[in-house]
């Protein structure tokens, strides 16, 4: 299998991360609009959740770079 194809497969693993991050943001905004008093707690949880979702995309990117230039 060519390195470019392996890198493309690794990048496709980041797609669920993008959907997850969007879903987290939508749900946090929904919670903020329903209960404005919880804004500070929801914002903190939103930032943490987006950070955790983003790690999947970062790992996929690092794997694709390693496959292209090392393997």
């Amino acid at each position: 299998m060519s390195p470019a194809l392996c890198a493309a497969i690794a990048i496709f693993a980041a797609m669920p991360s993008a959907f997850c991050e969007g879903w987290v943001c939508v749900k946090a905004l929904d919670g903020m609009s329903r209960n404005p008093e919880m804004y500070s707690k929801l914002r903190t949880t939103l930032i943490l959740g987006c950070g955790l979702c983003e790690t999947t995309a970062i790992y996929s990117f690092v794997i694709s770079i390693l496959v292209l230039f090392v393997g």
Side-chain angles (χ1 to χ4, degrees):
M1 196 179 274
S2 72
L5 183 60
C6 291
I9 291 171
I11 289 296
F12 277 119
M15 284 185 0
S17 172
F19 292 126
C20 175
E21 195 168 343
W23 185 73
V24 166
C25 291
V26 164
K27 291 299 179 180
L29 289 174
D30 186 40
M32 287 177 199
S33 66
R34 291 177 188 266
N35 194 359
E37 296 86 29
M38 294 293 292
Y39 174 78
S40 63
K41 286 186 179 182
L42 287 173
R43 186 189 62 201
T44 305
T45 306
L46 169 70
I47 291 170
L48 181 63
C50 284
L52 290 173
C53 290
E54 193 65 30
T55 57
T56 307
I58 292 170
Y59 289 145
S60 299
F61 180 68
V62 168
I63 288 170
S64 67
I65 294 295
L66 288 173
V67 165
L68 281 176
F69 295 112
V70 176

